[in-house]
Amino acid sequence: MGARMYPWKRPRGWWLRNPRYLGFQLRETGGVVSALYGLILLNMLRQLQAGESAYTAFLDLMRSPPLLFVNLVLFALVMYHAITWFMLIGKAQPIRFRAKPIPWKTAFGVNLVLWLGVSGAVVYLIFGGF
């Protein structure tokens, strides 16, 4: 048997068969979707600045069933991205205060608390209180 003339190619969708690869692809897709979701929220602020009628029209558009579904899917991907990244960060970038790095569950908990704190601060700044 001689050498192959052409390199072996993986079959299309090979990563769908392994849950780890699928999770990785979903997390990476969630990162891209985060940027898209951010653009939608920035557009909302732009419409708010344009006036009450523009903002109301934007909200009415966003409340339509197709866009509610799109927002739900985008939000789910963003949440999956954030949570899985927080779970991964303690393993990918171990934090050392002593000889041993802190456990990934501790890093996840600290990141989750910080995320909730920053989110609460943003809500407080935007709405002037809870």
Short mmCIF file of all heavy atoms in Angstrom, two decimals, residues 11-80:
data_model
loop_
_atom_site.label_atom_id
_atom_site.label_comp_id
_atom_site.label_asym_id
_atom_site.label_seq_id
_atom_site.Cartn_x
_atom_site.Cartn_y
_atom_site.Cartn_z
N PRO A 11 -15.62 13.97 7.30
CA PRO A 11 -16.96 14.13 6.71
C PRO A 11 -17.63 15.39 7.23
O PRO A 11 -17.36 15.87 8.34
CB PRO A 11 -17.71 12.88 7.17
CG PRO A 11 -16.91 12.29 8.27
CD PRO A 11 -15.51 12.80 8.15
N ARG A 12 -18.50 15.93 6.42
CA ARG A 12 -19.22 17.15 6.79
C ARG A 12 -20.02 16.90 8.07
O ARG A 12 -20.67 15.88 8.21
CB ARG A 12 -20.15 17.52 5.65
CG ARG A 12 -20.80 18.86 5.81
CD ARG A 12 -21.56 19.20 4.59
NE ARG A 12 -20.57 19.48 3.54
CZ ARG A 12 -20.87 20.05 2.39
NH1 ARG A 12 -22.11 20.37 2.12
NH2 ARG A 12 -19.94 20.30 1.51
N GLY A 13 -19.97 17.84 8.99
CA GLY A 13 -20.71 17.73 10.25
C GLY A 13 -20.11 16.76 11.25
O GLY A 13 -20.80 16.31 12.17
N TRP A 14 -18.84 16.44 11.12
CA TRP A 14 -18.19 15.46 12.01
C TRP A 14 -18.27 15.88 13.46
O TRP A 14 -18.37 15.05 14.34
CB TRP A 14 -16.72 15.26 11.61
CG TRP A 14 -15.90 16.50 11.71
CD1 TRP A 14 -15.71 17.43 10.74
CD2 TRP A 14 -15.18 16.96 12.86
NE1 TRP A 14 -14.92 18.45 11.20
CE2 TRP A 14 -14.59 18.19 12.50
CE3 TRP A 14 -14.99 16.47 14.14
CZ2 TRP A 14 -13.82 18.92 13.39
CZ3 TRP A 14 -14.22 17.21 15.02
CH2 TRP A 14 -13.64 18.41 14.63
N TRP A 15 -18.26 17.18 13.72
CA TRP A 15 -18.25 17.68 15.09
C TRP A 15 -19.61 17.52 15.76
O TRP A 15 -19.72 17.62 16.98
CB TRP A 15 -17.79 19.13 15.13
CG TRP A 15 -18.51 20.01 14.16
CD1 TRP A 15 -18.20 20.25 12.86
CD2 TRP A 15 -19.69 20.76 14.43
NE1 TRP A 15 -19.12 21.09 12.29
CE2 TRP A 15 -20.04 21.44 13.23
CE3 TRP A 15 -20.49 20.93 15.56
CZ2 TRP A 15 -21.15 22.25 13.14
CZ3 TRP A 15 -21.59 21.77 15.47
CH2 TRP A 15 -21.91 22.41 14.26
N LEU A 16 -20.66 17.27 14.98
CA LEU A 16 -21.99 17.09 15.56
C LEU A 16 -22.12 15.76 16.31
O LEU A 16 -23.00 15.61 17.15
CB LEU A 16 -23.06 17.14 14.46
CG LEU A 16 -23.25 18.50 13.79
CD1 LEU A 16 -24.13 18.36 12.56
CD2 LEU A 16 -23.83 19.49 14.77
N ARG A 17 -21.23 14.82 16.03
CA ARG A 17 -21.32 13.49 16.64
C ARG A 17 -20.71 13.42 18.03
O ARG A 17 -20.94 12.46 18.75
CB ARG A 17 -20.63 12.48 15.73
CG ARG A 17 -21.33 12.35 14.41
CD ARG A 17 -20.68 11.29 13.54
NE ARG A 17 -21.13 11.51 12.17
CZ ARG A 17 -20.33 11.74 11.17
NH1 ARG A 17 -19.03 11.77 11.33
NH2 ARG A 17 -20.81 11.93 9.97
N ASN A 18 -19.91 14.41 18.39
CA ASN A 18 -19.25 14.39 19.69
C ASN A 18 -19.78 15.55 20.53
O ASN A 18 -19.64 16.72 20.14
CB ASN A 18 -17.73 14.53 19.49
CG ASN A 18 -16.96 14.39 20.78
OD1 ASN A 18 -17.42 14.81 21.85
ND2 ASN A 18 -15.77 13.82 20.70
N PRO A 19 -20.39 15.29 21.69
CA PRO A 19 -20.98 16.36 22.49
C PRO A 19 -19.98 17.44 22.90
O PRO A 19 -20.33 18.61 23.00
CB PRO A 19 -21.53 15.64 23.72
CG PRO A 19 -21.66 14.21 23.33
CD PRO A 19 -20.64 13.96 22.28
N ARG A 20 -18.72 17.07 23.11
CA ARG A 20 -17.72 18.08 23.51
C ARG A 20 -17.45 19.05 22.37
O ARG A 20 -17.33 20.25 22.58
CB ARG A 20 -16.44 17.41 23.96
CG ARG A 20 -16.58 16.75 25.29
CD ARG A 20 -15.27 16.12 25.70
NE ARG A 20 -15.43 15.49 26.98
CZ ARG A 20 -14.60 15.69 27.99
NH1 ARG A 20 -13.55 16.45 27.84
NH2 ARG A 20 -14.81 15.11 29.14
N TYR A 21 -17.31 18.52 21.17
CA TYR A 21 -17.07 19.38 20.01
C TYR A 21 -18.30 20.24 19.73
O TYR A 21 -18.18 21.42 19.39
CB TYR A 21 -16.71 18.57 18.77
CG TYR A 21 -15.37 17.90 18.85
CD1 TYR A 21 -15.21 16.59 18.42
CD2 TYR A 21 -14.26 18.57 19.34
CE1 TYR A 21 -13.98 15.96 18.48
CE2 TYR A 21 -13.02 17.94 19.41
CZ TYR A 21 -12.88 16.64 18.98
OH TYR A 21 -11.67 16.03 19.04
N LEU A 22 -19.47 19.66 19.87
CA LEU A 22 -20.70 20.42 19.67
C LEU A 22 -20.80 21.55 20.69
O LEU A 22 -21.13 22.69 20.33
CB LEU A 22 -21.91 19.49 19.77
CG LEU A 22 -23.28 20.15 19.59
CD1 LEU A 22 -23.39 20.81 18.23
CD2 LEU A 22 -24.38 19.13 19.78
N GLY A 23 -20.50 21.26 21.95
CA GLY A 23 -20.52 22.30 22.98
C GLY A 23 -19.52 23.40 22.70
O GLY A 23 -19.81 24.59 22.88
N PHE A 24 -18.33 23.02 22.23
CA PHE A 24 -17.31 24.01 21.89
C PHE A 24 -17.81 24.91 20.75
O PHE A 24 -17.67 26.13 20.81
CB PHE A 24 -16.01 23.31 21.47
CG PHE A 24 -14.97 24.24 20.96
CD1 PHE A 24 -14.19 24.98 21.83
CD2 PHE A 24 -14.77 24.39 19.60
CE1 PHE A 24 -13.23 25.85 21.35
CE2 PHE A 24 -13.81 25.26 19.11
CZ PHE A 24 -13.03 25.99 19.99
N GLN A 25 -18.39 24.31 19.73
CA GLN A 25 -18.89 25.10 18.60
C GLN A 25 -20.02 26.02 19.04
O GLN A 25 -20.10 27.17 18.60
CB GLN A 25 -19.36 24.18 17.47
CG GLN A 25 -18.25 23.43 16.79
CD GLN A 25 -17.30 24.34 16.03
OE1 GLN A 25 -17.61 25.46 15.70
NE2 GLN A 25 -16.11 23.83 15.78
N LEU A 26 -20.90 25.53 19.91
CA LEU A 26 -21.99 26.38 20.41
C LEU A 26 -21.44 27.54 21.23
O LEU A 26 -21.94 28.66 21.15
CB LEU A 26 -22.97 25.56 21.23
CG LEU A 26 -23.92 24.67 20.44
CD1 LEU A 26 -24.74 23.80 21.38
CD2 LEU A 26 -24.83 25.50 19.55
N ARG A 27 -20.40 27.27 22.04
CA ARG A 27 -19.81 28.34 22.84
C ARG A 27 -19.18 29.39 21.93
O ARG A 27 -19.35 30.59 22.16
CB ARG A 27 -18.78 27.79 23.82
CG ARG A 27 -18.18 28.88 24.68
CD ARG A 27 -17.23 28.40 25.77
NE ARG A 27 -16.18 27.55 25.28
CZ ARG A 27 -16.09 26.24 25.53
NH1 ARG A 27 -17.00 25.65 26.27
NH2 ARG A 27 -15.10 25.53 25.07
N GLU A 28 -18.46 28.96 20.93
CA GLU A 28 -17.84 29.92 20.01
C GLU A 28 -18.88 30.69 19.20
O GLU A 28 -18.74 31.89 18.98
CB GLU A 28 -16.86 29.19 19.08
CG GLU A 28 -15.69 28.56 19.81
CD GLU A 28 -14.95 29.57 20.69
OE1 GLU A 28 -14.54 30.63 20.18
OE2 GLU A 28 -14.76 29.29 21.88
N THR A 29 -19.94 29.99 18.79
CA THR A 29 -21.03 30.68 18.10
C THR A 29 -21.69 31.69 19.03
O THR A 29 -22.05 32.79 18.62
CB THR A 29 -22.08 29.65 17.61
OG1 THR A 29 -21.42 28.72 16.75
CG2 THR A 29 -23.21 30.31 16.87
N GLY A 30 -21.82 31.32 20.30
CA GLY A 30 -22.38 32.24 21.29
C GLY A 30 -21.55 33.50 21.44
O GLY A 30 -22.09 34.58 21.70
N GLY A 31 -20.23 33.40 21.27
CA GLY A 31 -19.38 34.59 21.33
C GLY A 31 -19.67 35.54 20.19
O GLY A 31 -19.75 36.76 20.37
N VAL A 32 -19.86 35.00 19.01
CA VAL A 32 -20.20 35.84 17.84
C VAL A 32 -21.59 36.43 18.02
O VAL A 32 -21.84 37.60 17.74
CB VAL A 32 -20.10 35.01 16.54
CG1 VAL A 32 -20.60 35.80 15.35
CG2 VAL A 32 -18.67 34.55 16.31
N VAL A 33 -22.51 35.61 18.53
CA VAL A 33 -23.88 36.06 18.74
C VAL A 33 -23.92 37.16 19.81
O VAL A 33 -24.75 38.07 19.74
CB VAL A 33 -24.78 34.86 19.11
CG1 VAL A 33 -26.12 35.30 19.64
CG2 VAL A 33 -24.96 33.97 17.90
N SER A 34 -23.01 37.12 20.77
CA SER A 34 -22.94 38.17 21.79
C SER A 34 -22.72 39.53 21.14
O SER A 34 -23.33 40.53 21.55
CB SER A 34 -21.80 37.89 22.77
OG SER A 34 -22.04 36.73 23.49
N ALA A 35 -21.86 39.57 20.14
CA ALA A 35 -21.63 40.82 19.43
C ALA A 35 -22.89 41.28 18.70
O ALA A 35 -23.25 42.47 18.74
CB ALA A 35 -20.48 40.66 18.44
N LEU A 36 -23.60 40.35 18.07
CA LEU A 36 -24.84 40.68 17.39
C LEU A 36 -25.89 41.18 18.38
O LEU A 36 -26.57 42.18 18.13
CB LEU A 36 -25.36 39.46 16.65
CG LEU A 36 -26.68 39.61 15.89
CD1 LEU A 36 -26.57 40.66 14.80
CD2 LEU A 36 -27.08 38.27 15.32
N TYR A 37 -25.99 40.51 19.51
CA TYR A 37 -26.94 40.92 20.55
C TYR A 37 -26.60 42.31 21.07
O TYR A 37 -27.48 43.14 21.31
CB TYR A 37 -26.91 39.89 21.68
CG TYR A 37 -28.14 39.83 22.53
CD1 TYR A 37 -29.37 39.51 21.99
CD2 TYR A 37 -28.07 40.08 23.89
CE1 TYR A 37 -30.50 39.44 22.77
CE2 TYR A 37 -29.20 40.01 24.69
CZ TYR A 37 -30.40 39.69 24.12
OH TYR A 37 -31.52 39.63 24.90
N GLY A 38 -25.30 42.57 21.23
CA GLY A 38 -24.86 43.91 21.65
C GLY A 38 -25.24 44.98 20.64
O GLY A 38 -25.64 46.09 21.01
N LEU A 39 -25.13 44.66 19.35
CA LEU A 39 -25.53 45.63 18.32
C LEU A 39 -27.03 45.92 18.38
O LEU A 39 -27.45 47.06 18.19
CB LEU A 39 -25.14 45.12 16.94
CG LEU A 39 -23.65 45.09 16.63
CD1 LEU A 39 -23.39 44.43 15.29
CD2 LEU A 39 -23.06 46.50 16.66
N ILE A 40 -27.82 44.89 18.66
CA ILE A 40 -29.27 45.10 18.79
C ILE A 40 -29.54 46.03 19.98
O ILE A 40 -30.35 46.96 19.88
CB ILE A 40 -30.00 43.76 18.96
CG1 ILE A 40 -29.94 42.96 17.66
CG2 ILE A 40 -31.45 43.97 19.39
CD1 ILE A 40 -30.45 41.54 17.77
N LEU A 41 -28.87 45.81 21.09
CA LEU A 41 -29.08 46.66 22.27
C LEU A 41 -28.57 48.08 22.04
O LEU A 41 -29.19 49.06 22.49
CB LEU A 41 -28.42 46.03 23.49
CG LEU A 41 -29.03 44.70 23.94
CD1 LEU A 41 -28.26 44.11 25.10
CD2 LEU A 41 -30.50 44.85 24.29
N LEU A 42 -27.46 48.22 21.31
CA LEU A 42 -26.98 49.56 20.97
C LEU A 42 -27.96 50.28 20.05
O LEU A 42 -28.18 51.50 20.18
CB LEU A 42 -25.60 49.49 20.32
CG LEU A 42 -24.44 49.21 21.25
CD1 LEU A 42 -23.16 49.00 20.45
CD2 LEU A 42 -24.27 50.34 22.25
N ASN A 43 -28.57 49.55 19.14
CA ASN A 43 -29.58 50.15 18.28
C ASN A 43 -30.78 50.60 19.11
O ASN A 43 -31.39 51.63 18.81
CB ASN A 43 -30.01 49.16 17.19
CG ASN A 43 -30.92 49.81 16.17
OD1 ASN A 43 -30.82 50.99 15.88
ND2 ASN A 43 -31.82 49.02 15.62
N MET A 44 -31.12 49.84 20.14
CA MET A 44 -32.22 50.24 21.03
C MET A 44 -31.89 51.59 21.69
O MET A 44 -32.74 52.47 21.76
CB MET A 44 -32.46 49.18 22.09
CG MET A 44 -33.60 49.52 23.03
SD MET A 44 -33.93 48.26 24.27
CE MET A 44 -32.48 48.38 25.29
N LEU A 45 -30.65 51.75 22.16
CA LEU A 45 -30.26 53.03 22.76
C LEU A 45 -30.29 54.16 21.75
O LEU A 45 -30.64 55.30 22.07
CB LEU A 45 -28.87 52.90 23.39
CG LEU A 45 -28.77 52.02 24.63
CD1 LEU A 45 -27.33 51.89 25.08
CD2 LEU A 45 -29.64 52.56 25.75
N ARG A 46 -29.91 53.83 20.51
CA ARG A 46 -29.94 54.85 19.44
C ARG A 46 -31.38 55.29 19.17
O ARG A 46 -31.64 56.48 18.97
CB ARG A 46 -29.31 54.23 18.19
CG ARG A 46 -28.83 55.21 17.23
CD ARG A 46 -27.95 54.54 16.19
NE ARG A 46 -27.97 55.35 15.01
CZ ARG A 46 -28.26 54.92 13.81
NH1 ARG A 46 -28.51 53.66 13.62
NH2 ARG A 46 -28.28 55.75 12.81
N GLN A 47 -32.30 54.34 19.16
CA GLN A 47 -33.71 54.67 18.95
C GLN A 47 -34.27 55.47 20.12
O GLN A 47 -35.09 56.37 19.93
CB GLN A 47 -34.54 53.41 18.73
CG GLN A 47 -34.14 52.61 17.52
CD GLN A 47 -34.15 53.41 16.24
OE1 GLN A 47 -35.05 54.21 16.00
NE2 GLN A 47 -33.13 53.22 15.42
N LEU A 48 -33.80 55.18 21.32
CA LEU A 48 -34.22 55.94 22.49
C LEU A 48 -33.77 57.39 22.37
O LEU A 48 -34.52 58.32 22.69
CB LEU A 48 -33.65 55.30 23.76
CG LEU A 48 -33.98 55.98 25.08
CD1 LEU A 48 -35.48 55.95 25.34
CD2 LEU A 48 -33.24 55.31 26.22
N GLN A 49 -32.56 57.57 21.87
CA GLN A 49 -32.04 58.93 21.68
C GLN A 49 -32.79 59.66 20.56
O GLN A 49 -32.94 60.88 20.61
CB GLN A 49 -30.55 58.89 21.35
CG GLN A 49 -29.90 60.24 21.27
CD GLN A 49 -28.42 60.14 20.92
OE1 GLN A 49 -27.96 59.12 20.43
NE2 GLN A 49 -27.70 61.20 21.17
N ALA A 50 -33.30 58.92 19.58
CA ALA A 50 -34.00 59.53 18.45
C ALA A 50 -35.37 60.07 18.84
O ALA A 50 -35.95 60.87 18.11
CB ALA A 50 -34.14 58.53 17.31
N GLY A 51 -35.89 59.63 19.96
CA GLY A 51 -37.18 60.14 20.40
C GLY A 51 -38.14 59.02 20.77
O GLY A 51 -37.90 57.84 20.49
N GLU A 52 -39.23 59.46 21.40
CA GLU A 52 -40.18 58.48 21.93
C GLU A 52 -40.84 57.67 20.83
O GLU A 52 -41.02 56.45 20.97
CB GLU A 52 -41.26 59.21 22.75
CG GLU A 52 -42.20 58.27 23.45
CD GLU A 52 -43.21 58.99 24.32
OE1 GLU A 52 -42.98 60.16 24.66
OE2 GLU A 52 -44.23 58.36 24.65
N SER A 53 -41.19 58.29 19.71
CA SER A 53 -41.87 57.54 18.64
C SER A 53 -40.94 56.51 18.01
O SER A 53 -41.38 55.38 17.71
CB SER A 53 -42.41 58.50 17.58
OG SER A 53 -41.34 59.21 16.97
N ALA A 54 -39.68 56.85 17.81
CA ALA A 54 -38.72 55.89 17.23
C ALA A 54 -38.49 54.73 18.20
O ALA A 54 -38.43 53.57 17.78
CB ALA A 54 -37.40 56.58 16.90
N TYR A 55 -38.40 55.05 19.48
CA TYR A 55 -38.18 54.01 20.49
C TYR A 55 -39.39 53.10 20.60
O TYR A 55 -39.26 51.87 20.67
CB TYR A 55 -37.86 54.66 21.84
CG TYR A 55 -37.54 53.67 22.93
CD1 TYR A 55 -36.40 52.88 22.87
CD2 TYR A 55 -38.37 53.53 24.03
CE1 TYR A 55 -36.10 51.97 23.87
CE2 TYR A 55 -38.08 52.63 25.05
CZ TYR A 55 -36.94 51.85 24.96
OH TYR A 55 -36.65 50.96 25.95
N THR A 56 -40.58 53.66 20.58
CA THR A 56 -41.81 52.87 20.64
C THR A 56 -41.93 51.96 19.41
O THR A 56 -42.31 50.79 19.53
CB THR A 56 -43.04 53.78 20.75
OG1 THR A 56 -42.89 54.62 21.90
CG2 THR A 56 -44.33 52.99 20.88
N ALA A 57 -41.60 52.50 18.24
CA ALA A 57 -41.65 51.68 17.02
C ALA A 57 -40.64 50.53 17.10
O ALA A 57 -40.94 49.40 16.69
CB ALA A 57 -41.36 52.55 15.80
N PHE A 58 -39.45 50.81 17.65
CA PHE A 58 -38.44 49.75 17.81
C PHE A 58 -38.94 48.68 18.77
O PHE A 58 -38.82 47.48 18.49
CB PHE A 58 -37.13 50.36 18.32
CG PHE A 58 -36.07 49.33 18.59
CD1 PHE A 58 -35.34 48.79 17.55
CD2 PHE A 58 -35.81 48.91 19.88
CE1 PHE A 58 -34.36 47.83 17.79
CE2 PHE A 58 -34.85 47.95 20.13
CZ PHE A 58 -34.12 47.42 19.08
N LEU A 59 -39.52 49.09 19.90
CA LEU A 59 -40.04 48.13 20.87
C LEU A 59 -41.18 47.30 20.28
O LEU A 59 -41.27 46.09 20.52
CB LEU A 59 -40.49 48.82 22.14
CG LEU A 59 -39.38 49.36 23.04
CD1 LEU A 59 -39.97 50.00 24.29
CD2 LEU A 59 -38.40 48.27 23.43
N ASP A 60 -42.05 47.95 19.50
CA ASP A 60 -43.14 47.21 18.86
C ASP A 60 -42.59 46.17 17.89
O ASP A 60 -43.09 45.04 17.82
CB ASP A 60 -44.09 48.16 18.14
CG ASP A 60 -44.92 49.00 19.09
OD1 ASP A 60 -45.04 48.60 20.27
OD2 ASP A 60 -45.43 50.05 18.67
N LEU A 61 -41.56 46.55 17.15
CA LEU A 61 -40.92 45.60 16.23
C LEU A 61 -40.30 44.43 17.00
O LEU A 61 -40.45 43.27 16.62
CB LEU A 61 -39.85 46.31 15.40
CG LEU A 61 -39.03 45.42 14.46
CD1 LEU A 61 -39.91 44.89 13.34
CD2 LEU A 61 -37.87 46.21 13.90
N MET A 62 -39.63 44.74 18.10
CA MET A 62 -38.98 43.70 18.89
C MET A 62 -39.99 42.78 19.59
O MET A 62 -39.66 41.67 19.97
CB MET A 62 -38.03 44.31 19.93
CG MET A 62 -36.85 45.05 19.32
SD MET A 62 -35.89 44.07 18.19
CE MET A 62 -35.00 43.04 19.31
N ARG A 63 -41.23 43.26 19.78
CA ARG A 63 -42.26 42.45 20.42
C ARG A 63 -43.00 41.55 19.44
O ARG A 63 -43.83 40.75 19.86
CB ARG A 63 -43.27 43.36 21.13
CG ARG A 63 -42.71 43.98 22.38
CD ARG A 63 -43.76 44.81 23.09
NE ARG A 63 -43.17 45.45 24.25
CZ ARG A 63 -43.34 46.72 24.56
NH1 ARG A 63 -44.10 47.50 23.82
NH2 ARG A 63 -42.76 47.23 25.63
N SER A 64 -42.70 41.64 18.17
CA SER A 64 -43.35 40.77 17.19
C SER A 64 -42.89 39.33 17.44
O SER A 64 -41.75 39.09 17.84
CB SER A 64 -43.03 41.22 15.77
OG SER A 64 -41.66 41.02 15.49
N PRO A 65 -43.77 38.36 17.22
CA PRO A 65 -43.41 36.96 17.52
C PRO A 65 -42.12 36.47 16.86
O PRO A 65 -41.31 35.81 17.54
CB PRO A 65 -44.64 36.17 17.05
CG PRO A 65 -45.77 37.14 17.20
CD PRO A 65 -45.18 38.48 16.86
N PRO A 66 -41.85 36.76 15.58
CA PRO A 66 -40.58 36.27 15.01
C PRO A 66 -39.35 36.84 15.72
O PRO A 66 -38.39 36.12 16.00
CB PRO A 66 -40.63 36.70 13.55
CG PRO A 66 -42.06 36.95 13.25
CD PRO A 66 -42.67 37.38 14.54
N LEU A 67 -39.38 38.13 16.03
CA LEU A 67 -38.22 38.74 16.68
C LEU A 67 -38.13 38.35 18.16
O LEU A 67 -37.03 38.30 18.71
CB LEU A 67 -38.22 40.25 16.51
CG LEU A 67 -37.80 40.70 15.11
CD1 LEU A 67 -37.81 42.21 15.00
CD2 LEU A 67 -36.45 40.16 14.73
N LEU A 68 -39.26 38.08 18.79
CA LEU A 68 -39.20 37.55 20.15
C LEU A 68 -38.50 36.19 20.16
O LEU A 68 -37.67 35.91 21.03
CB LEU A 68 -40.60 37.41 20.75
CG LEU A 68 -41.21 38.68 21.34
CD1 LEU A 68 -42.65 38.44 21.77
CD2 LEU A 68 -40.39 39.17 22.52
N PHE A 69 -38.81 35.37 19.16
CA PHE A 69 -38.15 34.07 19.04
C PHE A 69 -36.65 34.24 18.78
O PHE A 69 -35.82 33.57 19.40
CB PHE A 69 -38.81 33.24 17.93
CG PHE A 69 -38.15 31.91 17.74
CD1 PHE A 69 -38.34 30.89 18.66
CD2 PHE A 69 -37.32 31.68 16.65
CE1 PHE A 69 -37.71 29.66 18.50
CE2 PHE A 69 -36.70 30.46 16.48
CZ PHE A 69 -36.91 29.44 17.40
N VAL A 70 -36.29 35.15 17.87
CA VAL A 70 -34.88 35.41 17.57
C VAL A 70 -34.16 35.89 18.82
O VAL A 70 -33.06 35.44 19.13
CB VAL A 70 -34.74 36.44 16.42
CG1 VAL A 70 -33.32 36.96 16.30
CG2 VAL A 70 -35.18 35.82 15.11
N ASN A 71 -34.78 36.81 19.57
CA ASN A 71 -34.17 37.30 20.80
C ASN A 71 -34.01 36.20 21.83
O ASN A 71 -33.00 36.16 22.55
CB ASN A 71 -35.01 38.44 21.39
CG ASN A 71 -34.54 39.78 20.92
OD1 ASN A 71 -33.34 40.05 20.89
ND2 ASN A 71 -35.47 40.61 20.53
N LEU A 72 -34.97 35.31 21.91
CA LEU A 72 -34.88 34.20 22.86
C LEU A 72 -33.71 33.28 22.50
O LEU A 72 -32.94 32.89 23.37
CB LEU A 72 -36.20 33.42 22.88
CG LEU A 72 -36.26 32.24 23.83
CD1 LEU A 72 -36.20 32.73 25.27
CD2 LEU A 72 -37.53 31.45 23.60
N VAL A 73 -33.56 32.98 21.22
CA VAL A 73 -32.45 32.13 20.78
C VAL A 73 -31.11 32.84 21.01
O VAL A 73 -30.16 32.23 21.51
CB VAL A 73 -32.63 31.74 19.29
CG1 VAL A 73 -31.38 31.07 18.74
CG2 VAL A 73 -33.84 30.84 19.13
N LEU A 74 -31.04 34.13 20.65
CA LEU A 74 -29.80 34.88 20.87
C LEU A 74 -29.45 34.93 22.35
O LEU A 74 -28.29 34.74 22.73
CB LEU A 74 -29.93 36.29 20.31
CG LEU A 74 -30.02 36.44 18.79
CD1 LEU A 74 -30.19 37.90 18.41
CD2 LEU A 74 -28.81 35.84 18.10
N PHE A 75 -30.44 35.20 23.18
CA PHE A 75 -30.20 35.27 24.62
C PHE A 75 -29.73 33.93 25.17
O PHE A 75 -28.80 33.88 25.99
CB PHE A 75 -31.46 35.75 25.35
CG PHE A 75 -31.26 35.93 26.82
CD1 PHE A 75 -30.50 36.99 27.30
CD2 PHE A 75 -31.82 35.04 27.72
CE1 PHE A 75 -30.31 37.15 28.67
CE2 PHE A 75 -31.63 35.20 29.08
CZ PHE A 75 -30.88 36.26 29.56
N ALA A 76 -30.34 32.84 24.70
CA ALA A 76 -29.93 31.50 25.16
C ALA A 76 -28.48 31.22 24.77
O ALA A 76 -27.70 30.69 25.57
CB ALA A 76 -30.87 30.45 24.59
N LEU A 77 -28.09 31.59 23.54
CA LEU A 77 -26.71 31.37 23.11
C LEU A 77 -25.73 32.23 23.91
O LEU A 77 -24.64 31.78 24.26
CB LEU A 77 -26.56 31.64 21.62
CG LEU A 77 -27.03 30.51 20.70
CD1 LEU A 77 -27.09 30.97 19.25
CD2 LEU A 77 -26.12 29.30 20.84
N VAL A 78 -26.12 33.46 24.19
CA VAL A 78 -25.26 34.34 24.98
C VAL A 78 -25.09 33.79 26.40
O VAL A 78 -23.97 33.76 26.94
CB VAL A 78 -25.82 35.79 25.01
CG1 VAL A 78 -25.12 36.63 26.06
CG2 VAL A 78 -25.68 36.43 23.65
N MET A 79 -26.17 33.32 26.99
CA MET A 79 -26.09 32.74 28.33
C MET A 79 -25.24 31.47 28.32
O MET A 79 -24.43 31.26 29.22
CB MET A 79 -27.49 32.44 28.87
CG MET A 79 -28.31 33.68 29.16
SD MET A 79 -27.53 34.77 30.37
CE MET A 79 -27.64 33.76 31.82
N TYR A 80 -25.42 30.63 27.31
CA TYR A 80 -24.61 29.41 27.21
C TYR A 80 -23.14 29.78 27.07
O TYR A 80 -22.28 29.17 27.71
CB TYR A 80 -25.07 28.57 26.02
CG TYR A 80 -24.31 27.27 25.88
CD1 TYR A 80 -24.60 26.20 26.71
CD2 TYR A 80 -23.28 27.14 24.95
CE1 TYR A 80 -23.89 25.00 26.60
CE2 TYR A 80 -22.57 25.96 24.85
CZ TYR A 80 -22.87 24.90 25.66
OH TYR A 80 -22.15 23.74 25.56
#
